[in-house]
């Protein structure tokens, strides 16, 4: 195993997935790619229509998207620090725009990783089911092995 992709959303299960990915990387001497997916920046025309439909000021929507993006940058920085603290330094961080369920398998393919690691749940779901929709879809669509951390 040479390359591991771990997807994080800031939730506890995702931090746990990062820990497990870090342990595996250390054991296998593998590289780690840390991925966080943010919603895409709406195109200007779409943005105007969206803001009108939702009756929110355009500036507010732009500010919200910027703050999501900054939070995403901070999230992957924290992941890098946590991995460094566990002795893993061969780390790349990626903040990508898109839908997590499709962007994670697509990145796995593009990067040619041997394993994708995700948490069983994330921050957006109800705790009623054991698996969130993103971890389910990654397990279904990734062409490489997937580890779902609980
Ligand atoms: N935006 C994201 N970027 C990167 N990884 C993500 C993202 N969202 C979820 N994941 C990954 O998928 C795992 C499972 O999260 P998921 O979103 O499936 O659960 P949930 O939020 O509880 O439920 P749902 O989103 O279906 O309502 C997370 O622990 C994380 O590893
Ligand atoms: Mg989610």
């Amino acid at each position: 195993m040479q390359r591991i992709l771990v997807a994080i959303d800031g939730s506890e299960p995702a931090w746990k997935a990062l820990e497990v990915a870090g342990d595996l990387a250390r054991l296998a001497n593998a590289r780690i790619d840390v991925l966080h997916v943010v919603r895409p920046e709406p195109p200007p025309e779409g943005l105007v229509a969206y803001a009108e439909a939702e009756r929110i000021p355009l500036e507010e929507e732009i500010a919200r998207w910027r703050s999501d993006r900054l939070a995403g940058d901070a999230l992957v920085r924290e992941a890098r620090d946590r991995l460094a603290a566990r002795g893993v330094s061969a780390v790349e961080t990626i903040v990508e725009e898109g839908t997590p369920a499709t962007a994670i398998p697509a990145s796995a393919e593009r990067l040619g990783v041997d394993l994708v690691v995700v948490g069983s749940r994330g921050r957006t779901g109800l705790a009623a089911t054991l698996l969130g929709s993103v971890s389910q879809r990654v397990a279904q669509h990734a062409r490489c092995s997937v580890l779902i951390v609980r």
Side-chain angles (χ1 to χ4, degrees):
M1 192 168 29
Q2 295 180 338
R3 200 162 175 178
I4 298 170
L5 175 66
V6 56
I8 58 166
D9 66 351
S11 64
E12 267 320 305
W15 288 125
K16 212 167 153 196
L18 183 84
E19 263 182 35
V20 172
D23 289 349
L24 287 175
R26 215 182 27 243
L27 285 171
N29 208 12
R31 299 170 52 186
I32 290 202
D33 294 278
V34 178
L35 171 66
H36 175 61
V37 183
V38 291
R39 68 198 170 98
E41 180 179 25
E45 331 79 68
L47 187 60
V48 173
Y50 174 77
E52 273 172 11
E54 297 290 320
R55 296 177 189 286
I56 47 175
L58 191 53
E59 297 73 30
E60 211 173 279
E61 174 58 13
I62 294 170
R64 197 180 302 167
W65 182 82
R66 285 217 182 101
S67 84
D68 282 2
R69 181 79 206 197
L70 288 176
D73 293 339
L75 191 69
V76 297
R77 265 202 310 276
E78 177 169 359
R80 182 190 287 282
D81 291 346
R82 289 191 187 205
L83 288 170
R86 297 174 83 84
V88 180
S89 54
V91 177
E92 295 294 333
T93 59
I94 308 165
V95 177
E96 201 172 279
E97 291 179 25
T99 309
T102 50
I104 296 167
S107 294
E109 191 106 340
R110 188 184 69 242
L111 299 168
V113 301
D114 307 291
L115 179 70
V116 178
V117 184
V118 291
S120 56
R121 298 305 315 246
R123 55 184 312 160
T124 54
L126 306 165
T129 56
L130 287 174
L131 276 188
S133 62
V134 175
S135 36
Q136 276 184 53
R137 292 204 190 124
V138 170
Q140 276 169 355
H141 296 301
R143 298 165 83 95
C144 65
S145 301
V146 176
L147 176 59
I148 298 175
V149 175
R150 215 166 249 132

